Amino acid sequence: MLTPPGPIHEYDAANPASYPGSGTTFTDIGSSPINLTINNANYDNVNDSFKLLGTLSSYIRSAEPVSIGIGTNNFTYQLWWQYNGNANIGGPTDVQLQVGSRGSGVYGGCNITTQSGQIVLEAPGVGQLFTGFTPTLGVWYLLTLTVDSSNLNTLYVNGVSVYTGTQSYNALGALASIAMAPSVTNLGDGSLSGFGPVQIYDRVITTTEITNYFNSTVGRFVVPIHSYDAADPTSYPGSGSTFYDIGSATAIDLNINNATYDNVTDTFALARSEEHTSE
């Protein structure tokens, strides 16, 4: 079976070919490269992401104009994104990912935005689809937007479809760019968002592809509130009766009683208990 084509534009700081850990260039490792410039964004080397600082000078964007390589439909945007609100200097629409143009009287492309705390799909100069999905501050989400040949917009969050609606999009426009948190002045818009990997396809990817990508990357961004793993010595050092909680919330440690530890598989076998009754 043929492998479907990968993204035409892809940015992932976990790949040294895309970001070596320092510098201001976010290299496109997709099939039609368009590099981005990182300006006043903090790099997190734990999950290989960037966080914007809520100022007009904080953004990640390409030069303008560029030939992005997608049309008005049959495309997919996919990105790991952390909603942290806005510093309220960019107006009511907080653009999270722009692929196209939305200023200087030239409108085109498709943007993922937030307004009044919910995710909105924006066709600049045309209209908006309010999805009703309200992200929680500080939480990472995998957002996947597909737009098919009938202009059906489907938004997936963490691999699950949360919204469908129909909206058409104009051509990308003469001032097209790829940008995270741009304003109509082509600088930052006050976003405080975090951004992980970003992918842009010139086709509608399948639900299986979305699920596989989520499963392969979720560990970078979603930490369980309670977690126990005997393969991690901070959770279980190999002996003793305490199974330590290594999750993100206040720790709730477990007591190990009558269980045998297997240091090959890092698992526990519980002792069998039988209860006998007689009449």
Side-chain angles (χ1 to χ4, degrees):
M1 185 174 68
L2 293 177
T3 301
I8 59 171
H9 305 295
E10 181 174 17
Y11 310 90
D12 188 352
N15 186 332
S18 187
Y19 190 71
S22 61
T24 60
T25 300
F26 207 177
T27 301
D28 187 347
I29 53 175
S31 60
S32 302
I34 296 174
N35 295 340
L36 308 182
T37 297
I38 303 162
N39 199 70
N40 289 336
N42 287 339
Y43 171 57
D44 184 339
N45 63 3
V46 175
N47 61 11
D48 293 302
S49 65
F50 294 95
K51 183 180 179 182
L52 301 181
L53 306 182
T55 67
L56 290 178
S57 63
S58 182
Y59 55 87
I60 303 172
R61 64 174 296 114
S62 70
E64 184 183 276
V66 291
S67 178
I68 295 173
I70 61 173
T72 58
N73 51 34
N74 273 327
F75 61 83
T76 300
Y77 299 169
Q78 187 159 249
L79 69 153
W80 274 103
W81 168 73
Q82 182 189 44
Y83 180 55
N84 295 314
N86 187 285
N88 296 319
I89 59 176
T93 301
D94 186 7
V95 179
Q96 305 301 338
L97 176 64
Q98 171 182 297
V99 183
S101 51
R102 62 183 300 269
S104 304
V106 179
Y107 297 96
C110 170
N111 301 331
I112 297 177
T113 76
T114 50
Q115 293 188 47
S116 302
Q118 72 170 292
I119 293 179
V120 178
L121 310 178
E122 179 189 40
V126 177
Q128 298 172 325
L129 294 176
F130 287 78
T131 68
F133 181 80
T134 303
T136 300
L137 285 171
V139 174
W140 283 94
Y141 299 94
L142 178 66
L143 304 181
T144 309
L145 169 64
T146 64
V147 179
D148 69 13
S149 58
S150 62
N151 297 320
L152 179 66
N153 292 233
T154 304
L155 177 68
Y156 301 83
V157 177
N158 295 344
V160 178
S161 173
V162 299
Y163 175 82
T164 58
T166 301
Q167 177 168 254
S168 60
Y169 295 93
N170 286 336
L172 294 171
L175 300 178
S177 64
I178 298 172
M180 298 158 205
S183 71
V184 294
T185 57
N186 294 323
L187 298 174
D189 72 348
S191 175
L192 295 163
S193 290
F195 292 92
V198 176
Q199 298 179 323
I200 299 170
Y201 291 81
D202 60 354
R203 62 182 178 89
V204 174
I205 65 175
T206 66
T207 55
T208 299
E209 289 177 286
I210 297 169
T211 299
N212 289 344
Y213 185 74
F214 173 75
N215 289 338
S216 68
T217 54
V218 64
R220 284 170 57 183
F221 301 100
V222 180
V223 179
I225 59 173
H226 300 292
S227 178
Y228 309 88
D229 185 357
D232 186 332
T234 60
S235 185
Y236 189 69
S239 62
S241 60
T242 302
F243 207 176
Y244 295 100
D245 186 351
I246 54 175
S248 61
T250 301
I252 301 177
D253 298 332
L254 305 182
N255 183 59
I256 303 167
N257 191 58
N258 287 335
T260 302
Y261 171 59
D262 184 334
N263 62 4
V264 176
T265 59
D266 292 308
T267 58
F268 294 94
L270 298 179
R272 184 177 180 182
S273 176
E274 294 185 357
E275 193 172 289
H276 301 278
T277 61
S278 61
E279 296 182 359

